[in-house]
Amino acid sequence: MRCSRKMVLGFLAAASMTIAPLMMAAPASAATDYANCSELNADYPHGVGKTGAVDSTSGTPVTTFTVDDDLYDANTESDRDKDGIACEKR
């Protein structure tokens, strides 16, 4: 009886050391910094904006852009009109 208990405890200890590292969260990946709007729009057709951004236009504003603060921050250089939306397209 003692031998089987030790085997079970040994098996559980080995299993926990094998499985525990797999259960840890993966580190967050850095937001992609696109070279230009053509590249960004290939992945995000209507552009990327920060939370609360409103398209500054005299026509119909773009509202279908992707909201992602980190992605916007990585691509602020592509926000020509500084309205909080990079590479907005209708």
Side-chain angles (χ1 to χ4, degrees):
M1 186 83 161
R2 283 198 183 272
C3 184
S4 65
R5 186 179 297 170
K6 285 182 181 179
M7 285 177 53
V8 169
L9 290 175
F11 175 74
L12 290 174
S16 68
M17 290 190 311
T18 304
I19 295 172
L22 300 175
M23 294 174 61
M24 294 181 67
S29 59
T32 303
D33 182 9
Y34 290 90
N36 54 48
C37 283
S38 295
E39 287 184 13
L40 188 139
N41 288 140
D43 290 337
Y44 303 95
H46 302 286
V48 176
K50 59 185 175 181
T51 304
V54 177
D55 186 19
S56 63
T57 179
S58 59
T60 305
V62 175
T63 58
T64 53
F65 60 90
T66 300
V67 176
D68 186 323
D69 293 336
D70 293 334
L71 189 57
Y72 173 80
D73 290 342
N75 293 281
T76 55
E77 72 280 356
S78 295
D79 184 4
R80 292 180 297 174
D81 56 1
K82 306 298 182 215
D83 61 358
I85 308 166
C87 303
E88 61 264 37
K89 265 174 67 172
R90 284 176 216 346

